[in-house]
Amino acid sequence: MTVKTMQTAEVKDLLEKVAGFDQQGGDERIKKIVHRVMHDIFQIVEDFDVTPEEFWSAVYYVGELGANGEAALLAPGLGMDRYLDIRQDAEDEQAGLTGGTPRTIEGPLYVAGAPLSEGFARMDDGSDKDAEAILIKGQITDENGAPLANAIVDIWHADSKGAYSYFDQSQSEYNLRRRIKTDSEGRYAAQSIMPSGYGCPPEGSTQQLLNHLGRHGQRPAHIHYFVSKPGYKHLTTQINIAGDEYTYSDFAFATREELVVEAKRVDQSNEGTKHGVTGPITEVEFNVALVATDKPELQERHARPRALETDAA
């Protein structure tokens, strides 16, 4: 039978002391958050009769998660990134900033400082001879369809094995990562290779928990975007390639219907021809509409740890 202790004076006093409510100084907001977090953990222990063995197993799991470097992988897998997007969407609606291309999660694999090109970029280094060649293209506009010149389209994606440069040391520097400044018509284009989806490390901490939940840890083939221009709300988004086995069951909950894009094989790309890309190629078209705002804080991507971001600043 569950022992009930949460309403006792002893536990209430313990929580007050844990959060530093009985001490001067410190950060009042952090104190309140820690108090809430620890209260809820204590409540879970009580409600589910968590044994000491189960509790310490969870503690060491958190330690292993940090040692594996998988905390930023587990977060989207537990819907945390998607929940933050839901909150931001609600904030935008409340502020009258709805519309434009939908946001979706950033993921943990961005690397700052990719080479900047004008209008067109070659993203791959040409080393993967068996990969499917693609041309990523699109137009950046405002909500009314007016083209936005000199917008920055920051694109990154995995290789044909599901690995990302920088984190995969076998790839060349900034392979499959580029920033492209749109032309006078707001257009951008990039020659690259078709990315592969990937899965969580099968023996890693994230997949261990997903196994307990009866869930897979797979992501579909996808391409990440940051799109920005002064005077417009910064957009963090990504597209999922239609037809992938996991397009609509992405373990990271990043799929949004408006962001599923067809990959179309063409004998010759009209857009590619402008940039010297000849022969059959697969086109992936993604057009983006940005929302105008005069709030500087909305025109920048939110602060979080990112590879090389300090170096690139």
Side-chain angles (χ1 to χ4, degrees), residues 2-65:
T2 301
V3 175
K4 302 293 185 183
T5 60
M6 286 300 295
Q7 298 306 314
T8 64
E10 185 176 12
V11 170
K12 290 180 179 180
D13 181 62
L14 175 60
L15 283 168
E16 295 274 317
K17 292 177 178 177
V18 165
F21 286 163
D22 62 335
Q23 301 294 323
Q24 297 295 320
D27 187 302
E28 289 303 314
R29 176 175 169 81
I30 292 177
K31 287 184 178 186
K32 291 176 182 177
I33 291 173
V34 168
H35 184 271
R36 175 64 177 271
V37 168
M38 296 314 302
H39 173 278
D40 289 354
I41 291 175
F42 288 8
Q43 191 70 60
I44 288 170
V45 171
E46 179 164 291
D47 291 346
F48 290 91
D49 266 338
V50 174
T51 66
E53 290 81 6
E54 290 173 326
F55 174 81
W56 286 108
S57 176
V59 169
Y60 283 107
Y61 173 81
V62 172
E64 291 169 2
L65 186 71

Side-chain angles (χ1 to χ4, degrees), residues 94-115:
Q94 192 175 61
L97 291 172
T98 55
T101 300
R103 64 164 52 87
T104 195
I105 71 172
E106 175 183 335
L109 299 172
Y110 177 73
V111 177

Side-chain angles (χ1 to χ4, degrees), residues 5-181:
T5 60
M6 286 300 295
Q7 298 306 314
T8 64
E10 185 176 12
V11 170
K12 290 180 179 180
D13 181 62
L14 175 60
L15 283 168
E16 295 274 317
K17 292 177 178 177
V18 165
F21 286 163
D22 62 335
Q23 301 294 323
Q24 297 295 320
D27 187 302
E28 289 303 314
R29 176 175 169 81
I30 292 177
K31 287 184 178 186
K32 291 176 182 177
I33 291 173
V34 168
H35 184 271
R36 175 64 177 271
V37 168
M38 296 314 302
H39 173 278
D40 289 354
I41 291 175
F42 288 8
Q43 191 70 60
I44 288 170
V45 171
E46 179 164 291
D47 291 346
F48 290 91
D49 266 338
V50 174
T51 66
E53 290 81 6
E54 290 173 326
F55 174 81
W56 286 108
S57 176
V59 169
Y60 283 107
Y61 173 81
V62 172
E64 291 169 2
L65 186 71
N68 293 341
E70 288 193 23
L73 182 64
L74 181 62
L78 291 181
M80 295 180 187
D81 289 29
R82 177 68 187 117
Y83 176 67
L84 292 175
D85 282 351
I86 291 171
R87 281 187 56 83
Q88 287 184 286
D89 286 347
E91 289 173 3
D92 285 348
E93 184 173 4
Q94 192 175 61
L97 291 172
T98 55
T101 300
R103 64 164 52 87
T104 195
I105 71 172
E106 175 183 335
L109 299 172
Y110 177 73
V111 177
L116 178 65
S117 301
E118 299 278 347
F120 171 81
R122 174 76 184 263
M123 292 183 64
D124 69 297
D125 62 9
S127 62
D128 192 341
K129 304 299 184 183
D130 297 324
E132 179 181 1
I134 65 173
L135 185 84
I136 307 168
K137 66 177 186 176
Q139 185 179 36
I140 312 302
T141 67
D142 66 13
E143 291 181 273
N144 299 313
L148 296 178
N150 299 319
I152 302 299
V153 183
D154 199 338
I155 310 175
W156 70 102
H157 65 77
D159 67 6
S160 60
K161 300 179 180 64
Y164 286 78
S165 63
Y166 179 85
F167 303 96
D168 171 17
Q169 293 293 309
S170 71
Q171 295 186 48
S172 61
E173 185 179 35
Y174 289 113
N175 188 40
L176 309 175
R177 302 177 184 274
R178 288 295 185 274
R179 292 177 296 154
I180 305 169
K181 182 181 292 187

Side-chain angles (χ1 to χ4, degrees), residues 97-279:
L97 291 172
T98 55
T101 300
R103 64 164 52 87
T104 195
I105 71 172
E106 175 183 335
L109 299 172
Y110 177 73
V111 177
L116 178 65
S117 301
E118 299 278 347
F120 171 81
R122 174 76 184 263
M123 292 183 64
D124 69 297
D125 62 9
S127 62
D128 192 341
K129 304 299 184 183
D130 297 324
E132 179 181 1
I134 65 173
L135 185 84
I136 307 168
K137 66 177 186 176
Q139 185 179 36
I140 312 302
T141 67
D142 66 13
E143 291 181 273
N144 299 313
L148 296 178
N150 299 319
I152 302 299
V153 183
D154 199 338
I155 310 175
W156 70 102
H157 65 77
D159 67 6
S160 60
K161 300 179 180 64
Y164 286 78
S165 63
Y166 179 85
F167 303 96
D168 171 17
Q169 293 293 309
S170 71
Q171 295 186 48
S172 61
E173 185 179 35
Y174 289 113
N175 188 40
L176 309 175
R177 302 177 184 274
R178 288 295 185 274
R179 292 177 296 154
I180 305 169
K181 182 181 292 187
T182 57
D183 66 15
S184 61
E185 297 180 341
R187 297 190 182 279
Y188 73 94
Q191 182 182 349
S192 194
I193 59 173
M194 181 65 75
S196 172
Y198 62 86
C200 299
E203 304 303 323
S205 302
T206 301
Q207 190 59 55
Q208 179 185 343
L209 179 55
L210 293 176
N211 289 341
H212 285 300
L213 302 177
R215 293 178 50 201
H216 72 72
Q218 299 295 319
R219 296 220 61 204
H222 59 281
I223 300 171
H224 293 271
Y225 280 77
F226 285 154
V227 187
S228 61
K229 180 178 172 66
Y232 293 85
K233 188 173 64 174
H234 178 276
L235 177 66
T236 298
T237 195
Q238 62 182 271
I239 53 174
N240 283 359
I241 305 301
D244 189 288
E245 178 182 359
Y246 298 103
T247 295
Y248 291 99
S249 63
D250 181 357
F251 102 97
F253 305 102
T255 303
R256 303 184 73 162
E257 188 64 44
E258 307 95 318
L259 301 175
V260 176
V261 175
E262 295 280 349
K264 299 178 181 179
R265 188 72 173 171
V266 297
D267 291 331
Q268 180 63 50
S269 167
N270 292 333
E271 185 68 29
T273 299
K274 299 176 186 177
H275 305 289
V277 180
T278 60

